[in-house]
């Protein structure tokens, strides 16, 4: 009895797609991405804390929300943060979370019959992966525009404490978005090469978890850095 049950138990430890189940019944790849996200939360918590500690301690401008006049030259610097542009980029990133959810649902329901044009659109993982990639790229383009305009207005990473903490925080987030866009393009390439099937839903789900994480981090940054004076 025990001789026949042992191989069965061993087989059940293997998850579809090459993964393994932990003793809690979770796929080890999903445990890994949650562990990674937990460590990333600590990283961004430290970066945000650093920004808040140094907030308002720069002896010289430009400042995020207040105008500043250089006492040496008399040059006037307006508040540096551009809330309307950043609001658009925040909306773009939030919309990309929706398209990522639709991409995952399309992969999970690949073999469900589609009778109408709308159902075929909803069931196309390529459309929603393309949408997520393009929205992520648009966010990076807006961030590049913001950084460039700040430098032209006199704020760089070496200008003052605000510039150092701001560019470090938002730059790290931009690097994470860039990694996410590359990840999504790789999924799109797999979808074109062989098609993403329901058995691949876990790898899309893991990418979606990462993408939602960078979205949530941006909501925290947008609120604490841009909206709260």
């Amino acid at each position: 009895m025990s001789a026949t049950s042992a191989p069965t138990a061993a087989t059940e430890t293997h998850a579809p797609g090459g993964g393994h189940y932990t003793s809690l019944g979770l796929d080890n790849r999903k445990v890994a991405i949650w562990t990674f996200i937990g460590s990333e939360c600590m990283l961004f918590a430290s970066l945000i804390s650093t920004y808040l500690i140094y907030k308002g301690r720069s002896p010289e401008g430009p400042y995020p929300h207040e105008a500043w006049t250089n006492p040496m030259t008399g040059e006037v610097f307006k508040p540096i943060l551009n809330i309307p542009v950043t609001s658009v980029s925040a909306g773009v990133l939030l919309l990309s979370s929706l398209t990522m959810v639709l991409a995952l649902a399309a992969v999970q329901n690949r073999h469900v019959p589609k009778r109408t044009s709308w159902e075929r659109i909803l069931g196309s993982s390529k459309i929603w992966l393309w949408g997520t990639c393009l929205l992520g790229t648009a966010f990076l383009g807006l961030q590049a525009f913001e950084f460039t305009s700040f430098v032209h207005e006199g704020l760089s990473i070496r200008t003052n404490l605000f510039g150092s903490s701001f560019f470090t925080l938002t730059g790290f987030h931009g690097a994470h978005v860039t990694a996410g866009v590359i990840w999504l393009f790789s999924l799109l390439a797999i979808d074109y090469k062989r098609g993403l099937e329901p058995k691949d839903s876990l790898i899309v789900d893991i990418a979606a978890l990462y993408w939602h994480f960078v979205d949530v981090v941006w909501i925290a940054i947008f609120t604490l850095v841009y909206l709260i004076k």
Side-chain angles (χ1 to χ4, degrees):
M1 183 68 177
S2 58
T4 56
S5 60
T8 303
T11 302
E12 288 173 350
T13 62
H14 291 78
H20 298 272
Y21 288 121
T22 65
S23 58
L24 298 176
L26 299 173
D27 190 291
N28 62 337
R29 292 165 294 182
K30 206 153 190 177
V31 173
I33 188 65
W34 277 115
T35 304
F36 173 73
I37 288 175
S39 65
E40 290 292 283
C41 285
M42 296 177 68
L43 169 65
F44 278 103
S46 64
L47 292 174
I48 292 173
S49 299
T50 302
Y51 173 84
L52 294 177
I53 289 171
Y54 287 136
K55 185 178 181 181
R57 296 193 178 187
S58 299
E60 297 180 352
Y63 296 126
H65 301 287
E66 305 86 17
W68 175 69
T69 302
N70 189 331
M72 303 296 291
T73 63
E75 185 179 3
V76 178
F77 294 86
K78 63 182 180 180
I80 202 75
L81 295 183
N82 191 333
I83 304 299
V85 170
T86 316
S87 299
V88 172
S89 63
V92 165
L93 203 56
L94 288 176
L95 183 59
S96 71
S97 264
L98 173 61
T99 55
M100 192 67 230
V101 170
L102 294 173
L104 175 59
V107 172
Q108 291 172 332
N109 301 312
R110 171 73 69 193
H111 300 307
V112 176
K114 282 78 174 178
R115 296 180 177 82
T116 66
S117 298
W118 178 240
E119 287 178 347
R120 283 190 283 276
I121 292 173
L122 280 178
S124 173
S125 55
K126 293 184 181 67
I127 290 177
W128 303 116
L129 283 174
W130 263 117
T132 311
C133 290
L134 293 177
L135 289 169
T137 304
F139 173 84
L140 292 173
L142 288 168
Q143 190 172 52
F145 167 78
E146 181 186 44
F147 285 3
T148 304
S149 64
F150 286 178
V151 171
H152 288 162
E153 293 173 16
L155 180 71
S156 71
I157 195 170
R158 294 181 297 178
T159 302
N160 54 22
L161 285 175
F162 164 64
S164 299
S165 55
F166 173 82
F167 279 106
T168 301
L169 172 59
T170 55
F172 262 100
H173 180 266
H176 280 70
V177 174
T178 303
V181 170
I182 294 172
W183 191 348
L184 294 173
F185 269 119
S186 68
L187 289 178
L188 191 58
I190 294 173
D191 205 3
Y192 273 102
K193 185 174 182 180
R194 62 168 177 78
L196 289 170
E197 298 292 329
K199 64 181 175 62
D200 302 312
S201 59
L202 181 63
I203 62 172
V204 182
D205 190 19
I206 289 173
L209 282 173
Y210 177 83
W211 193 252
H212 296 322
F213 164 72
V214 296
D215 283 4
V216 170
V217 170
W218 183 250
I219 291 173
I221 293 173
F222 181 61
T223 304
L224 295 173
V225 175
Y226 289 86
L227 297 183
I228 297 178
K229 297 183 179 180

